Amino acid sequence: MYKKLFMTAAVMAACIQTDAQTLATEFKGTSNNNPISPCVYCADPTALEYNGRLYVYGSNDHQQFIKNGKKGTNDYGDIKSIVVLSTDDMVNWTFHGTIDTKKVCTSWGSGYFRSWAPSVTWRHNETTGKDEFFLYFANWASNVGVLTAESPIGPWKSPLTGPIVSGNTPGVNPCNWCFDPGVVIDDNGTGWLTFGGGDPNAQGTDILPNNAGIVKLKPSMTAVDGKAVKLPAPYHFEASELNVINGKYVYTYCSNWANRSDADWNKYKQENGITISKPETCTMCYMVSDNPLDPNSWVYKGVYGPHPGSSPNNHSHLHKFNGKYYHIYHNGSLLEGMKSAKATTSDASTYRSICVDEITVDEATQTISKANLTSKGASGIRYLNPYLLQQAETMGNCGGVNYEDFTNIEKNTSVSTLGNDASRNMQVKMKAGSWINQKRADFGTNGAEKFTLRAKGTGTLEIRLGSKSLQSAAIINFSSTEMEEQTIEVDPTKFQGFKSIFFVVTAAENFYVDAWQFTEVGSTGIQPTFNVQRSTSNVQRSTSNVQPYDLSGRRVSDTQQHRGIIIKNGKKIWH
């Protein structure tokens, strides 16, 4: 059983100036929401919505960054895992670790190479009563693999001993690169998978490279149903994704670098009855159909995603969440920030970061307006609830927190949440000068009277509000040889209304922070995990569903062997 210490002596007057403390540099900008991770390189995004959260998955560029000694050029050759992040407010993102596809796909033997450009979907299986998740990935440029799970964060497994789509799949060849899958389940429950890329094959041209394909999936979602057909996607190159909007199939892809002949384009427009301008190079384009397996049914509708500029390639996913559409894409903004701060070498290149901006979609006509790519990013859609248990790896920004410092409470554990050696609980190593920022917290009118930190090691953590450089509103001195909770009292008058929270570590020795939570004035215990609507304003605090969760926010079943604290129906259960 973990000890819980109530420490009033650790509360100190908020009179300490921060001049003597050198704070770690931020790489994304204080007011920016892009990129979504301030410290993790990831790219080729896809997404799904589940239980009120948006889960985003991407190629793990950071794996290559670490492999290269945090410098050099990203050639994608050592990317063998997939990053998982999630949010319910669009500004604070939880890092769930990585899916170790190399380990998950051990049954493939020498047939496994890499994992790029994932695409995900899920459904509820009425027969089994379970939710089913399907993740497709590019196994290098050779073929497409599929993983399955019963949770958006795993554990993942490979249901096959090889790819689901390859050159041996009927209708695929010729296809230069059988990769970059895009999956969707339509309104009838049928699964579809697009794929393909590269320069024109032997039967293709600059304008119609003949590498884009689509195949129907069997009800299992792990086998193809029939023959793949080619999609007449003009200037197609890579980055397939699929959506269903108002009953129509919407295929998105990245255009190539081929020469755009006016004569070729005018001929294409005439043959297809369209008046749209030809796409610029390396832009995100889209086509619409009501019959996916009929090549003649696909209508090219133009460009919606501009070239990201700071990235040499382009890949995006279109997703509707909480009533809004979002353009999820990658660029090189985090790399540029690290270069400016001299956190990597000036010649480092091609390490990409996932960004999100709102985009306008006319569902009636399946028309996507051209996206604006901004540093500000998406706006918050609700407020973070500080009275719910929050993970340290949930943040809007940070400094001095590195990817490799997201570690596990137990290494080499037999409990594998993501299909690797990660335990169910994650933690963040904090050094002197490092800090984490949670944006848009709503303390309400009553304010907070206590703060609880779950951590390990020795450290001094200051809570600063509004800016990481302001005076502290509360300080907790922490020391423990094991992961445990410590609680202090705080001044409610300082913790009222809407705040941006900064947890700043001013001293540390092997200090690992796992989770935190405030207690509201007048609270009788753990805050409920259902929606809380503030009467003083028309906004909603960010909350979780009434279901069991472990300390990393992962939903667990009553039959699972739990370790540590479980939050169930608003009550703590100790194991």
Side-chain angles (χ1 to χ4, degrees):
M1 179 181 293
Y2 297 113
K3 293 182 293 182
K4 184 175 181 181
L5 305 180
F6 188 67
M7 303 175 58
T8 57
V11 184
M12 303 175 65
C15 60
I16 297 178
Q17 299 294 330
T18 64
D19 296 348
Q21 178 67 51
T22 301
L23 300 183
T25 304
E26 59 184 311
F27 302 131
K28 63 182 282 184
T30 302
S31 61
N32 294 337
N33 293 328
N34 278 331
I36 64 174
S37 173
C39 56
V40 178
Y41 288 119
C42 45
D44 308 324
T46 187
L48 61 80
E49 179 183 352
Y50 184 67
N51 280 353
R53 294 190 70 83
L54 181 68
Y55 290 83
V56 173
Y57 306 73
S59 304
N60 189 1
D61 278 22
H62 215 98
Q63 185 173 25
Q64 186 75 58
F65 184 62
I66 299 301
K67 180 76 172 181
N68 290 353
K70 300 184 180 181
K71 58 184 180 181
T73 299
N74 180 12
D75 64 4
Y76 321 119
D78 285 288
I79 298 177
K80 299 179 181 180
S81 57
I82 293 168
V83 173
V84 186
L85 300 117
S86 75
T87 186
D88 66 354
D89 61 16
M90 299 307 295
V91 294
N92 296 297
W93 291 81
T94 301
F95 174 69
H96 294 288
T98 60
I99 305 169
D100 188 342
T101 53
K102 180 180 180 181
K103 184 173 183 178
V104 175
C105 297
T106 53
S107 63
W108 290 35
S110 60
Y112 170 86
F113 304 111
R114 296 164 182 80
S115 55
W116 299 340
S119 184
V120 294
T121 191
W122 75 280
R123 69 184 178 192
H124 179 72
N125 190 319
E126 296 291 349
T127 302
T128 65
K130 296 180 179 180
D131 295 336
E132 298 175 331
F133 296 80
F134 304 92
L135 185 151
Y136 304 82
F137 67 93
N139 181 32
W140 201 9
S142 298
N143 47 59
V144 174
V146 58
L147 306 180
T148 59
E150 293 180 7
S151 157
I153 53 175
W156 295 91
K157 63 182 180 180
S158 174
L160 309 175
T161 57
I164 181 175
V165 174
S166 69
N168 295 324
T169 303
V172 169
N173 282 328
C175 181
N176 284 353
W177 298 341
C178 182
F179 79 156
D180 282 15
V183 67
V184 75
I185 298 176
D186 66 20
D187 299 335
N188 298 316
T190 301
W192 302 89
L193 190 70
T194 53
F195 57 89
D199 293 327
N201 61 43
Q203 298 178 11
T205 63
D206 283 346
I207 192 171
L208 291 175
N210 197 47
N211 290 311
I214 187 169
V215 66
K216 182 181 178 182
L217 298 175
K218 289 185 176 180
S220 66
M221 298 290 290
T222 59
V224 301
D225 185 0
K227 181 180 179 182
V229 301
K230 298 291 185 177
L231 299 180
Y235 299 111
H236 172 270
F237 189 67
E238 58 182 349
S240 298
E241 274 281 31
L242 267 177
N243 282 275
V244 173
I245 300 177
N246 195 24
K248 302 284 188 178
Y249 302 84
V250 180
Y251 172 61
T252 61
Y253 66 94
C254 177
S255 65
N256 60 21
W257 283 263
N259 178 54
R260 268 79 163 138
S261 162
D262 288 338
D264 287 345
W265 187 248
N266 288 335
K267 180 181 179 183
Y268 177 85
K269 289 195 300 180
Q270 185 176 13
E271 290 175 347
N272 291 274
I274 61 174
T275 58
I276 300 169
S277 301
K278 57 180 179 288
E280 302 90 343
T281 60
C282 198
T283 53
M284 296 305 303
C285 308
Y286 71 112
M287 302 181 75
V288 175
S289 169
D290 57 8
N291 185 1
L293 294 180
D294 178 8
N296 295 323
S297 71
W298 288 93
V299 178
Y300 176 77
K301 298 198 67 173
V303 170
Y304 73 94
H307 187 290
S310 56
S311 171
N313 49 34
N314 207 347
H315 196 122
S316 77
H317 175 69
L318 182 72
H319 203 93
K320 186 178 183 180
F321 177 62
N322 202 53
K324 294 182 178 180
Y325 275 95
Y326 294 94
H327 176 56
I328 311 174
Y329 60 99
H330 68 231
N331 66 16
S333 57
L334 181 60
L335 177 61
E336 295 305 313
M338 290 190 70
K339 282 183 177 181
S340 297
K342 301 188 184 306
T344 186
T345 57
S346 60
D347 62 345
S349 64
T350 327
Y351 300 109
R352 302 160 297 177
S353 306
I354 293 176
C355 300
V356 180
D357 278 287
E358 295 178 26
I359 193 170
T360 301
V361 176
D362 185 333
E363 294 184 334
T365 61
Q366 299 82 43
T367 300
I368 310 172
S369 298
K370 197 164 185 178
N372 291 317
L373 312 186
T374 71
S375 297
K376 181 180 179 181
S379 300
I381 59 174
R382 55 172 59 88
Y383 290 94
L384 182 142
N385 189 343
Y387 304 123
L388 292 180
L389 189 73
Q390 300 290 345
Q391 296 304 302
E393 60 270 20
T394 297
M395 62 185 75
N397 204 353
C398 71
V401 174
N402 299 317
Y403 177 72
E404 60 270 32
D405 289 335
F406 287 93
T407 61
N408 306 308
I409 291 176
E410 295 181 5
K411 294 185 177 180
N412 302 319
T413 174
S414 60
V415 179
S416 178
T417 301
L418 292 174
N420 55 16
D421 288 332
S423 68
R424 272 197 277 262
N425 295 331
M426 298 186 68
Q427 52 190 287
V428 179
K429 185 176 183 180
M430 303 288 287
K431 305 171 184 177
S434 61
W435 54 273
I436 292 175
N437 171 217
Q438 285 83 21
K439 300 183 176 184
R440 292 169 52 88
D442 178 10
F443 286 96
T445 55
N446 293 333
E449 62 179 1
K450 297 176 185 177
F451 172 73
T452 300
L453 180 71
R454 178 171 168 79
K456 175 183 178 181
T458 301
T460 299
L461 184 145
E462 298 189 9
I463 306 172
R464 302 175 183 175
L465 303 175
S467 169
K468 61 182 179 291
S469 301
L470 292 178
Q471 296 176 348
S472 61
I475 302 175
I476 180 168
N477 291 315
F478 191 99
S479 183
S480 174
T481 57
E482 61 183 13
M483 189 64 66
E484 67 179 26
E485 288 186 347
Q486 293 184 7
T487 299
I488 63 172
E489 293 178 346
V490 298
D491 182 353
T493 63
K494 293 186 173 75
F495 293 89
Q496 292 177 325
F498 306 110
K499 306 289 185 182
S500 186
I501 305 172
F502 291 84
F503 295 117
V504 180
V505 173
T506 56
E509 183 176 352
N510 295 320
F511 189 42
Y512 294 86
V513 178
D514 179 48
W516 58 271
Q517 184 176 13
F518 285 89
T519 301
E520 191 169 12
V521 172
S523 172
T524 57
I526 287 291
Q527 300 299 306
T529 56
F530 45 81
N531 286 347
V532 179
Q533 190 79 23
R534 292 190 63 228
S535 58
T536 56
S537 64
N538 231 356
V539 298
Q540 196 175 68
R541 287 183 182 145
S542 178
T543 56
S544 302
N545 290 340
V546 185
Q547 291 180 10
Y549 288 81
D550 68 17
L551 277 174
S552 288
R554 297 169 171 82
R555 191 180 67 158
V556 292
S557 69
D558 289 332
T559 58
Q560 276 184 267
Q561 294 297 312
H562 308 311
R563 179 171 54 79
I565 304 173
I566 302 296
I567 307 302
K568 183 175 182 180
N569 294 351
K571 297 180 180 179
K572 281 186 180 178
I573 304 172
W574 298 84
H575 290 262

